[in-house]
Amino acid sequence: MDQGLKYHLSDLLSESIIKVSPVLGGDISKAYRMDTPNSSYFLKLNPTGDALKMFQTEAFGLQCIDNSNTIKTPKVVACGKVKGSAFLVMEFIESKPASSKDFETLGRQLAQLHQSSSKDFGLNHDNFIGSLPQSNTLHTNWSAFFAQERLGPQLELAKQKHLLSNHECPTEQNITSVVEPLFKNIRPTLVHGDLWQGNYLISKCGTPYLIDPAVYFGHHEVDIAMTKLFGGFSNNFYTAYSSMIPNDENTTIRLEIYQLYYLLVHLNLFGKLYYSNVMSILKKYF
Ligand code: ADP
């Protein structure tokens, strides 16, 4: 790491940084563990244009989840820009693989997070899903929110990137008419927004932490849809979760429709590899 940056961070923490080691596993930013005589910190660095905004909204998302007093997040220590690079510093969580019991705790605490409700769907500011902008304009209607703020912008982007053609993309009207009958009696609850298996940590003593959120108030099933898309969550997680928030007769269909959002995001971020998965849901429902 650049010496100037290291001095700056040392200053900010009022502690000398005695060791910096790279942390692997991130898609977007460079990540490091920084050790000081008294603590360990997790540092993300990103020199790209949107990165400061990305880190600020990530810090806000972590704080939002923490404020719900349901599931822990690493405490954010600093966020800013120095020497052309945005940085985010937070508490370093020493983690371990999840046991069955940890998955049960994670499922229960996620269900508790999903009890934090709000009046409207969305959030008072936009954020990011991965490195892509995520619009959170407030709506009173979940179908409208999902069509206009979730599927709509990702379909548009896929068209601009020539990943999908016009005739492959449903119109907003199409989307609304399909989802409206399925999206009944949905209330806005706080969601992590990007809950794949790389976005939780289990501390050495078995406490779950959520990381890298894309929070907003939405339907709680969006988080479950994401956990099921790429797998990695055990049955104990789903059993604990559904003992607190049961499924209903349309859950299976909704999960697939919510997965379409995440697949479109992956199509736009990583390209053609995700095309056939996107198309199979589009053809099935729209
Ligand atoms: P990116 O935004 O670039 O995808 P992540 O936030 O996912 O980066 O972090 C990359 C990896 O670093 C994660 O997969 C996780 O293993 C680890 N990590 C993230 N936050 C912490 C933390 N607070 N303490 C320890 N390790 C962390």
Side-chain angles (χ1 to χ4, degrees):
M1 187 204 302
D2 178 276
Q3 280 304 316
L5 176 64
K6 193 167 157 189
Y7 286 132
H8 182 84
L9 293 172
S10 241
D11 242 25
L12 220 105
L13 299 170
S14 311
E15 286 186 273
S16 55
I17 297 168
I18 50 179
K19 192 172 169 202
V20 179
S21 348
V23 175
L24 303 177
D27 287 331
I28 296 157
S29 304
K30 281 199 168 147
Y32 302 90
R33 174 188 177 136
M34 296 191 300
D35 291 302
T36 67
N38 301 313
S39 314
S40 298
Y41 298 95
F42 179 73
L43 165 71
K44 293 219 267 195
L45 288 179
N46 191 320
T48 60
D50 268 350
L52 178 59
K53 189 117 196 291
M54 240 162 62
F55 287 162
Q56 285 166 336
T57 56
E58 180 174 341
F60 180 86
L62 290 168
Q63 192 60 55
C64 265
I65 294 174
D66 195 52
N67 289 347
S68 72
N69 284 320
T70 54
I71 186 159
K72 281 188 171 290
T73 58
K75 294 266 174 296
V76 174
V77 177
C79 181
K81 193 165 187 175
V82 67
K83 293 190 158 274
S85 182
F87 64 84
L88 178 62
V89 183
M90 64 185 88
E91 174 188 6
F92 188 91
I93 309 300
E94 301 275 2
S95 60
K96 66 170 183 86
S99 67
S100 315
K101 192 164 168 289
D102 301 330
F103 270 123
E104 200 183 306
T105 314
L106 180 62
R108 200 180 53 246
Q109 293 187 350
L110 183 71
Q112 285 162 350
L113 174 73
H114 289 164
Q115 316 283 337
S116 313
S117 57
S118 181
K119 197 164 70 52
D120 296 320
F121 297 99
L123 197 67
N124 58 7
H125 66 270
D126 295 340
N127 50 18
F128 293 83
I129 175 89
S131 56
L132 295 179
Q134 177 170 264
S135 166
N136 293 321
T137 302
L138 295 168
H139 287 256
T140 52
N141 178 300
W142 174 239
S143 304
F145 179 89
F146 192 71
Q148 290 172 34
E149 314 305 329
R150 290 293 174 268
L151 293 193
Q154 293 301 327
L155 288 166
E156 240 355 274
L157 188 59
K159 279 194 273 184
Q160 278 169 29
K161 289 175 167 253
H162 305 290
L163 292 161
L164 290 177
S165 66
N166 242 331
H167 80 269
E168 287 171 324
C169 294
T171 62
E172 187 190 314
Q173 228 179 356
N174 272 161
I175 298 171
T176 312
S177 65
V178 170
V179 299
E180 234 161 23
L182 299 166
F183 292 1
K184 297 268 185 234
N185 301 322
I186 290 174
R187 63 191 184 99
T189 61
L190 187 60
V191 296
H192 174 280
D194 191 12
L195 193 55
W196 69 289
Q197 63 165 318
N199 279 348
Y200 71 82
L201 296 170
I202 305 293
S203 78
K204 289 270 195 250
C205 61
T207 305
Y209 283 76
L210 295 185
I211 57 171
D212 219 2
V215 297
Y216 61 100
F217 287 89
H219 187 203
H220 59 85
E221 285 175 357
V222 298
D223 279 344
I224 299 303
M226 185 52 165
T227 65
K228 292 193 169 197
L229 186 57
F230 300 115
F233 290 74
S234 83
N235 281 342
N236 303 65
F237 168 83
Y238 296 107
T239 307
Y241 183 87
S242 58
S243 72
M244 292 175 66
I245 305 185
N247 293 339
D248 70 34
E249 79 269 24
N250 285 322
T251 298
T252 311
I253 301 177
R254 279 194 304 261
L255 291 186
E256 262 196 295
I257 290 175
Y258 295 153
Q259 284 173 349
L260 175 61
Y261 173 62
Y262 293 111
L263 286 167
L264 283 166
V265 167
H266 277 71
L267 178 71
N268 286 324
L269 280 173
F270 306 115
K272 283 273 175 210
L273 190 62
Y274 293 92
Y275 174 80
S276 59
N277 289 330
V278 164
M279 283 313 297
S280 82
I281 301 183
L282 280 176
K283 281 185 186 148
K284 188 164 170 188
Y285 294 107
F286 298 98

